Amino acid sequence: MQIELSELFPFKLDSFQLEAIGHLTEGKSVVVSAPTGSGKTVIAEYAVETALRSNKRCYYTTPLKALSNQKFSDLRQKYGEDKVGLLTGDISINREAGVVVMTTEVFRNMLYGTILGDVRRNLHEVSFVILDECHYMNDAERGTVWEESIIYAPADVQLVALSATIANAQELTQWIDETHGPTALVQSTFRPVPLRFYYFGDRRIYPLLSPGRLVNGQLISRFGGKQRFAKTNKRRLLGAALPGPADVLAVLSSRNMLPAIHFLFSRRGCEEAMLKARGIPLLHAEEEQELKQKIEEFVSANPNLKSHPHLPYLYEGMSVHHAGMLPSWKAMVEKLFQQGLLKIVFATETLAAGINMPARSTIISSLTKRDDEGHRNLTASEFLQMSGRAGRRGMDEVGHVIVLHHPFESVEDAAKLATAPADPLSSRFAPSYAMVLNLLERHTRDETKELIERSFGQFLLNQALEPLFAQQMNWQAEFDRLSRPLCPEEIGDLRLYGRRLEAVRTKHKQLKLTERGLANSKTSQDSAACEALGLLRQEIKVMLEEAYSMPCHGCPVKTPCSKQNERVAHLSTRLKELAKRISRESGKYWRTFEALSNILRLSGYLMGDTPTKLGRMASGIRGTNELFLCEVAASGCLNSLNACELAAVLTALVGEEARSHESIRCRVSPHVDMVLDEIHHIGRKVWRLQRDFEVEIPVTYSGALSGLTELWATGATWDDIRAVTTADEGDVVRSLRRTLDLCRQFIRAPEVPDKLVNLCMEVEQLLARDEVREEF
């Protein structure tokens, strides 16, 4: 359907937007790779409009519930409540609407056809699926969801994959083209609001890059380059001062570079930076008054915030934002920042990949970070993601990115990151128990193998193996050519000739050893020994005569033929080794799938390739290890629990750990302790079974936060929760919400025992209140 673009967009479209729209008009899917803030949303809006005007439907997927909620509000404001729906797993609003916003996990689950109904019904009249933030394919925990969504999506649906800048966009596009259907790549490096990079040190701000986008030489002479950095006395480095948050804030305020997001890599770092920054005047009188009014409105609507320790800082126009904060607090911070009433937010990098919160400036506190594997440098994509928050389209002419001086990090490293291209997307595809059961429920084994081998991970593996395939072809061609004999009329058998000569040499060695033994023996004149020697010499003579009578003996091409045979034997060995290596490396995902299938058969979840009653239950569960969760549910150990106790056990099953410095003065009831002991034994059993099949899916459970869940389920207030733990409130809410999610999965999954379903429904009522209940 042809749409007049001037009707939709009252501004001139960029060339990459027009190119993408052209491909969609031609019926192709598109991959759009462009910087943050460049206007990729325009392409999504065109797809939405096309679907609605054609009386079709459009699904808009995002990686996070917060992003889905925000997009739902935006679209509902534009198109009206009746045309827009929302699905986030626990919230379902107008799911039959023309445009439905959902998390990518929900879309993937729809394609499996479990929990959310039949696939054909779920995708009825859907012509477009927008995969927003497609670079989330790199996410270690959830990246597989994007691959599965693309693999299983019906071929008649056009995909609109919107991604930040990635290095291998061409590979991603080629894979979608081969897996799903005709797909075009649209790339752009243009930023409507260009970025300028600075370096902050000695209470001053300097340009980081020279006009040629090389490191500013003035910075090297002032702060030391890599060579000087390596030779600097360690004691002197330890004494070098890091820039103080107040100094940074004062300079940015004086240069009209606020509002800003200050990225730090620990929650404690964010809190400490805010404490040190207090006292810098950031707001005008009118802004102070408006901010005060907005805060009072938020606090009135969310009573749990009345005693929040950060409120005094919020009134000054600053705040902290990280995963440990209450969701209601983060929502308030986000809205106040979007309205321009907060001038500085100290945030962990999770904000860089979260909801829409652009700023005039971003401050990057360090070029290194600590993760589960230790201390490491930032990747180019991580740096780009944080930098991309700078510069608000339509509000700023330039976005500012400020890297803070650090005595253990060189200026050159900062410049290198500022000019580095994005990292490539990798594959996080990982077969799971639920995937095995869902695919075998709907496909034959051969069809399932084909689907598994259509993953982006397999695509990248095949590309990496291309040199091996080329080597295999070259060796095979040489083997076939050399397998033709050199001798005239192919009368000789050089291999047999060689074997006979080798047999003669072996016998000759035996003869020499026998003669030497007799010479040293008292029986050297024994007639029997002499007769044995004679027989051995006669045998050697006969063998030589047989070898010499062969056509190969004295043949003019014997030497080159011998060398050829040696090469053929060598090639045969190498080809077998190479074939094993290719099979081992190219069959990685299918071997995992088969191992999971075998475990499921042994555990009673599959009968042949058909899911059993237990298998149908596990197919409706989504978790780190669905087999473990269902083994617990099927064991009967949950049947004796009341609703509050079950809530505590479900929290243990989602595996949330307390942070090392946190204390929880709230124990679970003795009955819960007994059930957790049973769960431990079930977990060990599953772990041992997986070990036998070389499967490494984690078997995680932890009762660290279970006591808080049991307390909450009994009707405790949020102040009661605060009184018994030093755990970050956001972590407690996340644990309770994950518990709720697992509870709802057991309610919706097929074949779950009725008693457990009824108990889970009670748990849902007990937990889904106040801070834990998710609002859209």
Side-chain angles (χ1 to χ4, degrees), residues 240 264 460 525-526 584 665 711:
L264 300 104
L460 293 177
Q525 301 302 317
D526 190 310
R584 183 176 63 252
R665 300 179 299 280
L711 179 63

Side-chain angles (χ1 to χ4, degrees), residues 199 222-243 405-411:
Y199 194 81
R222 189 171 188 89
F223 297 102
K226 273 193 171 181
Q227 191 172 10
R228 179 180 162 192
F229 171 76
K231 294 179 179 179
T232 304
N233 182 276
K234 187 175 181 180
R235 184 175 297 173
R236 181 183 165 193
L237 281 174
L238 290 172
L242 291 167
H405 169 67
H406 193 289
F408 294 102
E409 297 167 0
S410 73
V411 174

Side-chain angles (χ1 to χ4, degrees), residues 510-566:
Q510 183 182 346
L511 175 65
K512 291 295 182 185
L513 288 171
T514 305
E515 288 176 340
R516 193 176 300 120
L518 288 173
N520 298 328
S521 170
K522 294 179 180 179
T523 62
S524 58
Q525 301 302 317
D526 190 310
S527 60
C530 292
E531 186 179 349
L533 279 176
L535 289 173
L536 194 55
R537 291 189 184 102
Q538 184 62 32
E539 187 179 356
I540 292 171
K541 181 181 177 183
V542 172
M543 291 172 67
L544 275 174
E545 286 174 353
E546 288 178 352
Y548 290 163
S549 67
M550 293 182 68
C552 293
H553 186 68
C555 177
V557 294
K558 184 179 71 173
T559 300
C561 189
S562 176
K563 291 181 179 178
Q564 177 174 309
N565 279 350
E566 288 177 5

Side-chain angles (χ1 to χ4, degrees), residues 454-520:
R454 284 165 57 187
S455 71
F456 188 50
Q458 189 67 54
F459 176 84
L460 293 177
L461 266 179
N462 291 344
Q463 286 202 326
L465 290 173
E466 278 182 6
L468 295 185
F469 287 126
Q471 183 70 75
Q472 187 181 44
M473 289 178 63
N474 291 337
W475 281 350
Q476 188 64 52
E478 185 182 1
F479 178 85
D480 293 341
R481 178 172 54 81
L482 295 180
S483 295
R484 295 189 293 271
L486 290 174
C487 59
E489 300 179 5
E490 301 183 11
I491 59 173
D493 188 342
L494 189 59
R495 292 180 186 175
L496 179 58
Y497 176 70
R499 285 197 298 272
R500 287 185 173 177
L501 288 180
E502 184 60 34
V504 170
R505 282 191 286 272
T506 301
K507 286 290 183 182
H508 196 265
K509 287 180 183 178
Q510 183 182 346
L511 175 65
K512 291 295 182 185
L513 288 171
T514 305
E515 288 176 340
R516 193 176 300 120
L518 288 173
N520 298 328

Side-chain angles (χ1 to χ4, degrees), residues 24 67 98 175 185 220 232 270 275 287 305 434 519 581 665 699 750:
L24 291 178
L67 284 171
W175 169 66
L185 171 63
I220 295 177
T232 304
C270 292
L275 294 176
E287 289 176 325
L305 303 182
R581 181 181 172 188
R665 300 179 299 280
V699 181

